[in-house]
């Protein structure tokens, strides 16, 4: 049984438990107070009392801690600002109420006290208060300078006095900051004051733009020295900001003088060259990112300095060449013993100068390369006298400096590819340098031809030989960017010389025949599948142009020339069957199909020739269908082209009863298809019965839509109904789809007049309202309709 103590004993137990809980609560409160104090004063934590002392410590209510350092700083800053405002107000507005002795004594006493007070505050371990008073002292020294000018030297030049005062203040603040090393304000303030003396001196002396540039540059050099040798981050950041402002302004001043026509080029060059030295000195010991940026500035400044002096007597076109040579002369810095970030920055400057020269030259090259497009407006009008005549009416004005720029950049790219610096990443960039050399070397040739204005025949021959050389590079073995660049340039060059050859009939045959041989030979020698495919397509396109030109030379019209063009697709069908590489064969036959489309386009204006072209294309497709891998696509295409040829032929002959011609063909085709379906149960119904059904039903449908009688639509609808039911009964897809489509179109034809009458009788708002209701109904049952459509598609898919 459970023992229940008497009430007196139970009361004693409860009192003992409550006393133990009170003692534990006091311990926890004591611990909490110690932790709060430790967090707010981590430098000198209060030792935790011993357990015996904690047991006897009375409960102390929680009290909020002292204000945080952030609040203290805000109060100190506000106090310093108020004192500064008071000092300024006293100096500006109350100055005249006191005598000379009183004014001097007050300012001297206040300034001296403000300068001495931070030392005392630092000694008493009040650094934040000392910083605030020191900032006030610096402001008072500025006010002292203003008061000194107003009292002691009122007649002195304001700019001269400001320059001297700023220099003295910079020196005084520097000494003050060094003496009181724990203060953070005086030294950055001295750096700020040091930005003014030289600039104000140049202003007071009425210096020229060159003088201002030198003043700014010397100031920037002093800032760079401070950044290099100073230890305090605040001082270094302030000096870096000053150098980032004064240095670029000085360099821009020198650049403006260098590029101006009447500027003192020698002085500007010296200023820019000195600026490059300052930037290079700052980059030597700067962090990585800043070293790269300073290296870029140093490189650009040196290029502008040397190029500005050398180009003095040259026109602007050749000045680009001078700047380019100076920029490329920076490239060897990568092989010198300089810090890697600095070298990369200087190389970036060289690349920027090179890119600028190319931006100037490439539009001229593009105009020369694309100029032969104007020949399309007057094909075979006769060969012009010179190359510029083939580029337009007068041709672009090409400076002789353009090919020089291209040659120089191409040579630099090739040299960089041959001897790639170890300090630069090689992957990708070395191949890009090789590709750039190929592209620029190719662009130099048409630019030279345009500058020399060579005869037309010479230009065509040179460009054709250039295409041959590029194709030889494109089929060479090896990795890198040479092969794709050469292939791209060969294709663009082939287009350019091909357009150029269209000006004269003999040139057309010579150029396109030569391109056909070059593309075919390069495709045969290349081992890269992509290159072979591209070159095969190019050869086929050249063959199409030659075939089209042959018809024009014979005096035939465009429809009469269409069968001649089909010779090219026929050759591609034969070659495609012999090629072992599937991708190359596909490309070749796809280009041949494009030639067939060209033939159809030529014959589209003459229905009899169009029917002949369609029939020949059907024969070619049937020839491709002999191969097992082409059979699915080529077989359907052959059937469609044959049926289309028959339709066009019937329409061209003016037949009004096509059934007399199509029914025998349909019966024969149906018999052949039925035999095929019996021997091969897996054959599709579109292959077996599609040509037979469409050969008769589609021409009859076309005639029925233009026939005002009722007999043909009735008979065609009945036949379509029978075909549809047969397809549904035998589960054949082609009869079901063709018969249903023809039946629906015949029904629409018969209902069309009545629908028009109904629509005329309805008000104008009724059709939109009915359409809206239909859309709402479809939208409300969208998912059900989607499932129905899927079931229909699956049912059709299961049919043959």
């Amino acid at each position: 049984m459970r023992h229940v103590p008497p009430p007196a004993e139970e009361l004693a137990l409860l009192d003992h438990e409550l006393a133990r809980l009170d003692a534990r609560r006091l311990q926890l409160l004591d611990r909490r107070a110690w932790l709060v104090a430790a967090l707010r004063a981590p430098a000198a934590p209060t030792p935790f009392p011993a357990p015996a002392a904690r047991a006897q410590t009375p409960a102390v209510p929680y009290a909020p801690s002292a204000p945080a350092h952030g609040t203290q700083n805000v109060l100190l800053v506000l106090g310093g600002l108020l004192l500064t405002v008071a000092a300024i107000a006293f100096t500006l507005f109350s100055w005249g109420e006191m005598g000379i002795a009183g004014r001097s004594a007050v300012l001297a006493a206040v300034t001296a006290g403000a300068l001495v007070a931070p030392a005392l505050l630092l000694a008493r371990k009040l650094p934040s208060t000392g910083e605030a008073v020191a900032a006030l002292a610096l402001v008072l020294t500025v006010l002292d300078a203003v008061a000194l000018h107003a009292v002691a030297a009122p007649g002195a030049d304001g700019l001269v006095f400001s320059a001297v005062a700023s220099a003295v203040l910079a020196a005084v603040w520097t000494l003050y900051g060094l003496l009181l090393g724990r203060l953070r304000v005086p030294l950055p303030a001295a750096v700020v004051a040091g930005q003014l003396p030289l600039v104000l001196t140049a202003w007071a002396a009425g210096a020229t733009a060159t003088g201002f540039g030198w003043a700014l540059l010397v100031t920037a050099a002093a800032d760079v020295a401070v950044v290099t040798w100073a230890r305090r981050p605040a001082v270094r950041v302030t000096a870096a900001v000053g150098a980032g402002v004064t240095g670029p302004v000085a360099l821009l001043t020198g650049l403006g003088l260098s590029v101006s026509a009447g500027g003192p080029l020698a002085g500007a060059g010296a200023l820019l060259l000195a600026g490059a030295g300052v930037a290079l000195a700052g980059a030597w010991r700067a962090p990585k990112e800043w070293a790269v940026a300073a290296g870029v500035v140093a490189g650009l400044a040196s290029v502008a300095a040397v190029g500005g002096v050398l180009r003095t007597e040259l026109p602007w076109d050749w000045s680009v060449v001078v700047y380019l040579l100076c920029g490329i002369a920076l490239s060897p810095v990568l092989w010198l013993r300089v810090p890697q970030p600095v070298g990369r920055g200087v190389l970036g400057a060289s690349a920027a100068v090179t890119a600028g020269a190319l931006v100037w030259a490439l539009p001229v090259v593009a105009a020369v390369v694309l100029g032969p497009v104007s020949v399309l407006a007057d094909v075979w009008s006769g060969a012009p006298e010179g190359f510029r005549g083939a580029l337009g009416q007068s041709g672009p004005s090409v400076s002789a400096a353009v090919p020089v720029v291209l040659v120089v950049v191409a040579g630099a790219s090739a040299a960089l590819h041959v001897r790639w610096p170890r300090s630069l990443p090689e992957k990708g960039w070395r191949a890009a340098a090789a590709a750039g050399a190929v592209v620029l070397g190719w662009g130099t040739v048409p630019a030279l031809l345009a500058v020399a204005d060579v005869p037309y025949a010479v230009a065509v021959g040179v460009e054709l030989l250039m295409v041959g050389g590029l194709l030889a590079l494109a089929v060479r073995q090896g990795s890198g960017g040479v092969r794709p660049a050469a292939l791209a340039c060969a294709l663009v060059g082939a287009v350019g010389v091909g357009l150029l050859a269209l000006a004269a009939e003999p040139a057309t045959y010579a150029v396109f025949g030569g391109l056909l041989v070059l593309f075919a030979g390069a495709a045969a020698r290349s081992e890269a599948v992509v290159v072979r495919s591209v070159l095969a397509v190019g050869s086929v396109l050249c063959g199409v142009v030659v075939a089209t030109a042959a018809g024009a030379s014979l005096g035939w019209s465009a429809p009469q020339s269409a069968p001649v063009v089909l010779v090219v697709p026929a050759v591609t069908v034969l070659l495609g069957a012999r090629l072992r590489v599937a991708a190359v064969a596909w490309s070749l036959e796809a280009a041949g199909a494009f030639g067939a489309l060209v033939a159809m386009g030529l014959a589209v204006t003459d229905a009899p020739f169009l029917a002949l072209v369609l029939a020949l294309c059907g024969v070619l497709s049937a020839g491709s269908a002999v191969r097992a891998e082409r059979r699915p696509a080529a077989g359907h295409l052959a059937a469609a082209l044959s049926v289309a040829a028959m339709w066009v032929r019937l329409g061209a002959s003016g037949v009004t009863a096509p059934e007399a011609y199509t029914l025998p063909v349909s019966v024969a085709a149906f018999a052949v298809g039925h035999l095929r379906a019996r021997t091969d149960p897996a054959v599709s119904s579109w292959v077996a019965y599609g040509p037979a059904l469409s050969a008769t039903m589609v021409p009859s449908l076309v005639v029925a839509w233009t026939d005002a009688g009722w007999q043909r639509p009735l008979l065609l609808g009945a036949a379509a109904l029978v075909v549809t039911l047969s397809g549904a009964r035998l589960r054949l897809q082609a009869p079901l789809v063709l018969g249903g489509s023809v039946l629906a179109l015949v029904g629409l034809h018969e209902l069309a007049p009545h629908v028009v009458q109904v629509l005329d009788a309805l008000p104008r708002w009724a059709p939109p309202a009915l359409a809206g209701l239909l859309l709402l109904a479809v939208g409300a049952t969208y998912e059900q309709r989607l499932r129905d459509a899927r079931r229909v598609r699956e049912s059709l898919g299961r049919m043959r």
Side-chain angles (χ1 to χ4, degrees):
M1 296 179 63
R2 182 179 180 184
H3 173 69
V4 178
E9 184 180 355
E10 185 177 1
L11 180 61
L13 291 174
L14 291 177
D15 290 338
H16 178 73
E17 185 68 18
L18 289 173
R20 192 178 66 82
L21 291 175
D22 289 339
R24 180 60 179 166
R25 182 175 182 275
L26 291 176
Q27 292 177 7
L28 294 176
L29 288 175
D30 191 23
R31 179 65 177 174
R32 183 183 185 281
W34 182 85
L35 290 174
V36 170
L39 289 175
R40 290 174 179 169
T46 304
F48 188 72
R54 291 201 306 267
Q56 299 176 2
T57 302
V60 180
Y62 173 74
S65 62
H69 292 287
T71 305
Q72 180 184 7
N73 293 334
V74 171
L75 294 176
L76 291 174
V77 170
L78 289 177
L81 288 177
L82 291 176
L83 289 176
T84 303
V85 171
I88 294 174
F90 170 77
T91 304
L92 296 179
F93 302 108
S94 299
W95 190 260
E97 299 177 3
M98 302 178 65
I100 184 63
R103 288 178 289 184
S104 301
V106 168
L107 275 177
V110 173
T111 304
L115 290 174
V116 174
L120 301 176
L121 293 172
L122 291 176
R124 293 180 176 272
K125 297 181 180 181
L126 297 174
S128 298
T129 308
E131 292 285 354
V133 177
L136 175 62
L138 299 182
V139 175
L140 288 176
T141 56
V142 177
L143 296 178
D144 285 340
V146 175
L148 182 64
H149 178 264
V151 175
D157 188 2
L159 291 175
V160 175
F161 186 85
S162 299
V164 175
S166 59
V168 173
L169 288 176
V172 171
W173 291 351
T174 301
L175 180 61
Y176 185 68
L178 293 176
L179 291 176
L180 300 179
R182 294 176 60 185
L183 294 178
R184 293 174 293 180
V185 175
L187 290 179
V191 174
V192 174
Q195 311 300 312
L196 301 176
L198 293 179
V199 177
L200 293 177
T201 301
W203 192 359
T208 61
T210 305
F212 270 102
W214 279 106
L216 291 168
L217 184 60
V218 173
T219 304
D223 291 332
V224 170
V226 173
V227 172
T228 303
W229 301 109
R231 296 182 179 180
R232 297 188 180 184
V235 177
R236 299 180 65 181
V237 170
T238 306
V241 172
V245 174
T246 56
V249 174
L251 292 177
L252 289 176
T253 302
L255 181 62
L257 294 173
S258 179
V259 299
S260 61
L265 297 181
L271 177 61
L272 290 170
L273 200 59
V278 172
L280 194 61
W284 208 265
R285 298 181 61 181
K288 181 178 180 181
E289 293 77 9
W290 294 102
V292 173
V296 172
V297 173
L300 293 176
S302 60
V303 169
V306 179
V309 175
L310 296 179
R311 73 160 193 91
T312 305
E313 302 298 331
L314 296 176
W316 175 247
D317 293 347
W318 289 100
S319 298
V320 176
V321 179
V322 172
Y323 283 116
L324 176 62
L325 292 174
C326 294
I328 292 178
L330 297 176
S331 300
V333 73
L334 293 173
W335 289 275
L336 301 178
R337 294 183 178 180
V338 298
Q340 185 174 354
V342 179
R344 290 189 178 184
V346 175
L347 183 63
S350 176
V353 175
T354 304
L358 288 179
V359 167
W360 173 78
L362 289 181
V364 180
V365 178
V368 174
V369 173
L370 300 178
V373 175
S374 60
V375 177
L376 293 175
D378 199 3
V379 178
W380 289 3
S381 59
E385 295 182 359
F387 180 55
R388 289 187 186 179
L391 304 180
Q393 295 180 356
S394 58
S397 178
V398 183
S399 171
V402 173
V404 175
V405 169
L406 297 176
V407 168
V408 171
V409 178
S413 300
L416 193 62
H417 171 73
V418 172
R419 188 179 179 186
W420 188 259
R422 295 181 179 180
S423 59
L424 294 180
E426 183 175 348
K427 185 177 181 181
W429 292 103
R430 188 171 186 176
V438 173
V439 173
L440 294 173
W442 163 74
T444 305
V445 176
L448 284 173
L449 296 177
V451 169
D453 194 19
V454 299
Y456 172 78
V458 174
V460 171
V462 170
E463 291 200 11
L464 188 61
L465 291 175
M466 181 179 60
V467 172
L470 290 171
L471 289 176
L473 281 177
V475 300
R476 286 182 58 189
Q477 295 297 322
S479 59
V482 175
R483 186 165 62 183
L487 179 61
C489 293
L491 295 177
V492 177
V495 173
V497 70
L499 293 173
L500 193 65
L502 293 178
E505 183 177 358
T508 301
Y509 287 107
V511 169
F512 282 99
L515 290 176
L516 174 60
V517 174
L518 290 175
F519 281 132
R525 292 189 58 186
S526 177
E527 296 183 1
V529 176
V530 176
V531 176
R532 292 185 65 186
S533 300
V534 172
L535 295 178
V537 171
S539 63
V540 172
L541 295 180
C542 293
V544 170
V545 174
V546 172
T548 306
S553 298
L554 294 174
W556 295 346
S557 62
Q560 292 173 338
S561 302
V564 179
V565 178
L566 289 178
V567 174
V568 178
V571 174
T572 61
V573 170
L574 296 175
L575 291 178
R578 298 178 61 88
L579 291 175
R580 298 179 180 180
V581 182
V584 180
W586 273 108
S587 302
L588 188 71
E589 294 182 58
F594 175 78
L597 291 177
V598 172
M600 295 178 191
L602 292 174
V604 73
T605 57
D606 193 325
F609 275 100
L610 179 60
L612 175 61
V613 169
L614 291 173
L616 293 176
C617 291
V619 172
L620 294 177
S621 298
S624 296
V626 174
R627 297 151 57 192
E629 67 274 11
R630 299 287 190 269
R631 189 169 300 159
H636 290 80
L637 183 60
L641 290 172
S642 301
V643 173
M646 183 178 60
W647 296 342
V648 173
R649 180 68 259 184
L650 292 176
S653 301
V655 175
T656 57
E659 294 81 4
Y661 299 93
T662 58
L663 276 176
V665 176
S666 295
V667 171
F670 189 85
V672 174
H674 182 65
L675 291 176
R676 173 71 186 279
R678 290 185 61 184
T679 57
D680 186 5
V683 72
S684 172
S685 61
W686 289 98
V687 176
Y689 305 111
L693 294 175
S694 58
T696 297
M697 297 180 71
V698 175
S700 298
L701 179 63
V702 174
V703 177
W705 269 75
T706 60
D707 192 356
W710 57 271
Q711 294 88 356
R712 178 176 277 108
L714 177 61
L715 294 174
L716 181 59
L721 179 60
V722 173
V723 170
T724 303
L725 295 177
S726 301
R729 175 67 178 82
L730 300 175
R731 301 185 61 80
L732 297 176
Q733 190 179 109
L736 179 62
V737 173
L738 286 175
S741 301
V742 172
L743 184 60
L745 291 174
V746 170
L748 181 61
H749 173 264
E750 296 302 314
L751 291 177
H754 304 288
V755 172
V756 171
Q757 293 177 1
V758 172
L759 292 177
D760 290 338
L762 289 175
R764 294 184 179 274
W765 56 266
L770 293 175
L773 291 175
L774 178 62
L775 291 177
L776 288 177
V778 173
T781 59
Y782 174 75
E783 294 184 356
Q784 181 62 36
R785 302 286 79 78
L786 190 60
R787 287 194 294 268
D788 295 342
R790 288 173 180 169
R791 284 197 294 268
V792 171
R793 185 184 63 182
E794 293 173 357
S795 299
L796 285 175
R798 287 192 295 268
M799 295 181 179
R800 287 195 297 120

